[in-house]
Amino acid sequence: MRTQVGIVGAGPAGLTLARLLENAGIESVILESRSRAYCEARVRAGVLEQGTVDLLREAGVGGRMDAEGLVHHGIELQFDAERHRVPLSDLTGGRSIVIYGQTEVVKDLIAARLDSGLPLLFDTPAERVDAERGIVRYPDGELQCDVIAGCDGFHGCCRGALPAGTLREFSREYPYGWLGILASVAPSIDELVYAHHQRGFALLSLRSPTLSRYYIQCAPDEDLGRWPDERIWEELRTRTAVDGWTLEEGPILEKGVTGMRSYVCEPLRHERLFLAGDAAHIVPPTGAKGLNLAIHDVRMLAEALIRFYESGDKSLMDTYSETCLRRVWRCEHFSWWMTTMLHVTPGNDPFDLELQHSQLRYVTTSRAQAKALAENYVGLETV
Ligand code: RFL
Ligand code: PHB
């Protein structure tokens, strides 16, 4: 098989790239190791930055997001059993976020791809990638491409095709994880609540007017068997308690534990291979940045490839890595900062707790500090 752009991975990065290329008349083939049902069921991100929303809309895949997504203009930071609103839109000249699940984004993109009748091969894992020759091997054959987009997530195979000698890796593991639930109950909050508590962080989020998405800080290797539903609700109630407010409970539809890490590899390109999204970088989820960064990478990659196919000009391909890494490192910093401000380090070091309180008081009383948080949270226009 031969194509212009071979895309490995049908997550948000690979599917969005394919759509942007299709709109510009550039051919692509997507290889995805899992089934369609699996890709459409993975519960993950929920917060779309303004720039992500604009891009999906311009790409012609924003119809359902516009109808069903929930526009939010603020978030709340909770500490010492009090909530403090960060008015995102007031602080950013009217920008906002949209609550619309990653599962829904992925479903919309898959539907659009299949409607266009373009190749999206499920249950087809890439096994080996040759970055110099532009070849992707999979069990039944090989795909010959001008360019390979490695959009195969953190555990994919593309990153391994970068030569070890030129690769630099940066990483940090955190001594905690998140236990997340999806519950069939109307959210008890109007805006997301990020709660600092001495028993650990908690996050109240949502997916729709009837679906709540809640998280509690836990050990990175937490055993879900030790968390019957009642214990989860009890812990959520304790960590998010404020006077005069009740957390409504409902049937838990899904439970999972996620470890947390920060990771960046540099450069994002070798010869014909370009990495995008989680294949190249990971952020802890506290800043809600992972999906948005993945979309930003492929926006840059699409622009570079469109320029190349229109005029033979490779300059944007040559600067792709550097351009993306500027935003990647800004988001790495913001995600690390949100994470370390809000999570309790095992052992409850009193020095750490005082620093966190001081920072939380500062962010919720200084307009300049709140503005910095808001700008990063809704997504910086330029980095
Ligand atoms: P994905 O989504 O991991 O997709 C990669 C795809 O590649 C496939 N694959 C292969 N295909 C072919 N051959 C191979 N050898 C392959 N190996 C793998 C995989 O099956 C998969 O389909 O990466 P992508 O596209 O870069 O997207 C990144 C996002 O998924 C990720 O950053 C976010 O989910 C992170 N994240 C959040 N991001 C946000 O922007 N806002 C949030 O609110 C947010 N919350 C979260 C999150 C991630 C979480 N978890 C579970 C890690 C909350 C959580 C709990
Ligand atoms: C989510 O709704 O899944 C979510 C929201 C905000 C985050 C992370 C995850 O920071």
Side-chain angles (χ1 to χ4, degrees):
M1 215 179 358
R2 187 196 134 96
T3 189
Q4 289 178 307
V5 183
I7 300 177
V8 185
L15 290 164
T16 303
L17 176 64
R19 179 69 183 185
L20 297 173
L21 296 177
E22 175 190 346
N23 291 347
I26 298 169
E27 276 176 12
S28 68
V29 172
I30 312 177
L31 304 181
E32 164 59 49
S33 58
R34 314 301 293 244
S35 67
R36 178 178 181 183
Y38 184 91
C39 293
E40 292 187 342
R42 258 184 311 221
V43 182
R44 283 181 155 194
V47 175
L48 307 184
E49 293 176 359
Q50 176 89 58
T52 302
V53 170
D54 293 344
L55 178 130
L56 293 171
R57 203 177 276 146
E58 281 160 29
V61 286
R64 205 160 63 89
M65 172 188 75
D66 282 333
E68 297 174 19
L70 306 168
V71 180
H72 280 203
H73 299 285
I75 57 169
E76 301 218 67
L77 294 179
Q78 173 170 338
F79 56 100
D80 287 340
E82 283 182 9
R83 294 194 186 150
H84 305 260
R85 182 166 192 264
V86 181
L88 298 175
S89 299
D90 292 351
L91 292 164
T92 57
R95 291 163 74 77
S96 54
I97 52 166
V98 170
I99 308 299
Y100 188 63
Q102 178 170 332
T103 40
E104 307 311 308
V105 173
V106 164
K107 279 185 213 162
D108 295 346
L109 287 161
I110 290 176
R113 178 82 181 171
L114 298 177
D115 275 354
S116 305
L118 296 172
L120 164 50
L121 310 181
F122 288 105
D123 303 302
T124 307
E127 292 174 324
R128 237 168 56 80
V129 164
D130 183 332
E132 278 90 19
R133 292 159 62 214
I135 296 173
V136 183
R137 298 219 161 73
Y138 57 96
D140 299 330
E142 60 177 44
L143 180 62
Q144 169 75 57
C145 349
D146 299 340
V147 164
I148 301 168
C151 303
D152 51 348
F154 188 66
H155 301 288
C157 69
C158 289
R159 191 169 66 250
L162 298 181
T166 60
L167 186 67
R168 291 183 74 200
E169 293 179 284
F170 305 83
S171 69
R172 177 150 306 179
E173 301 271 337
Y174 299 85
Y176 33 74
W178 280 10
L179 191 165
I181 61 164
L182 187 68
S184 173
V185 58
S188 300
I189 37 122
D190 297 323
E191 294 180 330
L192 271 66
V193 175
Y194 288 82
H196 179 276
H197 190 279
Q198 61 195 21
R199 294 181 60 85
F201 169 73
L203 169 61
L204 303 176
S205 180
L206 66 160
R207 283 295 175 275
S208 74
T210 56
L211 277 181
S212 301
R213 178 78 169 146
Y214 298 150
Y215 298 94
I216 45 180
Q217 177 184 343
C218 61
D221 54 353
E222 191 74 47
D223 174 8
L224 265 179
R226 294 176 52 241
W227 287 88
D229 295 4
E230 185 40 46
R231 183 174 174 209
I232 298 176
W233 288 114
E234 173 68 34
E235 201 58 40
L236 276 167
R237 272 197 302 271
T238 306
R239 297 187 193 184
T240 60
V242 286
D243 275 348
W245 174 83
T246 312
L247 179 69
E248 299 298 340
E249 299 174 17
I252 295 182
L253 307 175
E254 218 249 14
K255 270 187 221 182
V257 170
T258 324
M260 285 207 223
R261 62 156 69 82
S262 300
Y263 173 89
V264 180
C265 90
E266 295 187 8
L268 303 188
R269 176 199 179 176
H270 177 65
E271 303 275 346
R272 292 169 187 267
L273 172 65
F274 294 75
L275 299 181
D278 279 15
H281 41 74
I282 295 286
V283 286
T286 327
K289 287 288 157 247
L291 165 64
N292 294 294
L293 257 190
I295 301 288
H296 181 265
D297 285 351
V298 297
R299 159 187 248 153
M300 294 297 118
L301 184 52
E303 276 178 22
L305 296 175
I306 292 167
R307 170 85 66 92
F308 169 67
Y309 281 112
E310 275 175 4
S311 64
D313 174 359
K314 290 187 174 168
S315 57
L316 293 180
M317 286 161 70
D318 292 339
T319 52
Y320 168 77
S321 180
E322 199 188 320
T323 306
C324 288
L325 284 167
R326 272 203 299 276
R327 192 177 193 86
V328 168
W329 278 112
R330 176 87 301 280
C331 293
E332 288 289 346
H333 180 270
F334 177 67
S335 304
W336 165 85
W337 178 73
M338 287 284 282
T339 300
T340 51
M341 174 169 72
L342 288 160
H343 290 72
V344 173
T345 19
N348 277 21
D349 184 276
F351 184 80
D352 285 348
L353 280 174
E354 291 301 328
L355 290 182
Q356 290 175 331
H357 268 125
S358 172
Q359 185 62 41
L360 283 161
R361 272 193 300 270
Y362 191 25
V363 173
T364 50
T365 50
S366 149
R367 190 173 165 88
Q369 283 280 309
K371 188 169 178 349
L373 188 156
E375 278 176 0
N376 281 275
Y377 198 85
V378 302
L380 289 161
E381 284 177 84
T382 52
V383 176

